[in-house]
Amino acid sequence: MKKLFLMKKILIVLIFIFFTHLQAQTFVKGNVLTTLLTIPNVGLETSIGKKSTFQFDVTASFWKSVKDNKRQFYLFIPEYRYHFKEKNNGFYVGVHIGATLFNFQKWNYLNTNKYEEGLGYVMGATIGYKAKINDKLHLDCFLGGGSHQGFYKGYIMGTKERYESAKNYNKSGEWLPYRGGVMLSYQLK
């Protein structure tokens, strides 16, 4: 798990370096709403066509526990966006495939001592509206969701004993909203 965490950090740094050196119009972004909930969501968005952009964002909950309930997750989403009116101003739709890592207690286990550790992937869509504040600042209001497919091992808190009978990984899939908020965007170039 430590190697995986180090690889995540290296990947994030490389992606940020790559995007900040692009010659196209690039924005660095932070989600105001999730940050207030102590779940940072940061990203980069860059132009790839007349009405198209590409965004890569990371959402992370660094909480080790809240009242002994597991709440740690990481969400990595690369997304293609099509802007109807003009790029970086007005309505857009996006499609994405991303990855998740989690150490989390599922909603139906909230009053138990069971939790899950695993990884997964998401496939879905986003709808949003980007409003220009000035030449450098934009607000990006968005909501997205889709299918999350998870592969995990279920444990009992405190003992690390497995509670389910799957030999390797248990599997679970849900359709749900998993992204949204208001991103404050700053144009780099």
Side-chain angles (χ1 to χ4, degrees), residues 84-96:
F84 293 106
K85 185 177 172 184
E86 62 179 309
K87 192 172 27 190
N88 300 314
N89 193 17
F91 284 102
Y92 65 85
V93 293
V95 293
H96 57 263

Side-chain angles (χ1 to χ4, degrees), residues 111-156:
N111 293 322
T112 72
N113 63 347
K114 297 176 182 177
Y115 73 99
E116 295 73 38
E117 287 183 16
L119 54 98
Y121 64 90
V122 292
M123 294 186 301
T126 302
I127 185 164
Y129 185 86
K130 200 165 184 184
K132 189 175 183 179
I133 297 172
N134 61 36
D135 287 342
K136 290 285 188 182
L137 290 175
H138 290 76
L139 279 180
D140 182 357
C141 303
F142 67 100
L143 182 63
S147 174
H148 176 265
Q149 302 298 313
F151 306 90
Y152 62 90
K153 294 180 180 180
Y155 296 104
I156 296 174

Side-chain angles (χ1 to χ4, degrees), residues 23-29 44-45 47 87-88 130 132 134-138 184-189:
Q23 296 300 317
Q25 198 174 37
T26 302
F27 290 86
V28 63
K29 309 169 89 173
L44 287 167
E45 184 175 11
S47 174
K87 192 172 27 190
N88 300 314
K130 200 165 184 184
K132 189 175 183 179
N134 61 36
D135 287 342
K136 290 285 188 182
L137 290 175
H138 290 76
L184 183 60
S185 305
Y186 178 77
Q187 184 177 348
L188 296 176
K189 296 186 182 219

Side-chain angles (χ1 to χ4, degrees), residues 19 24 32 35 41 43 49 54 57 100 105 112 138 141 144 158 160 165 173 180:
F19 276 116
V32 177
T35 301
N41 173 215
F54 177 79
D57 66 87
T100 64
Q105 191 175 40
T112 72
H138 290 76
C141 303
K160 283 291 263 186
S165 60

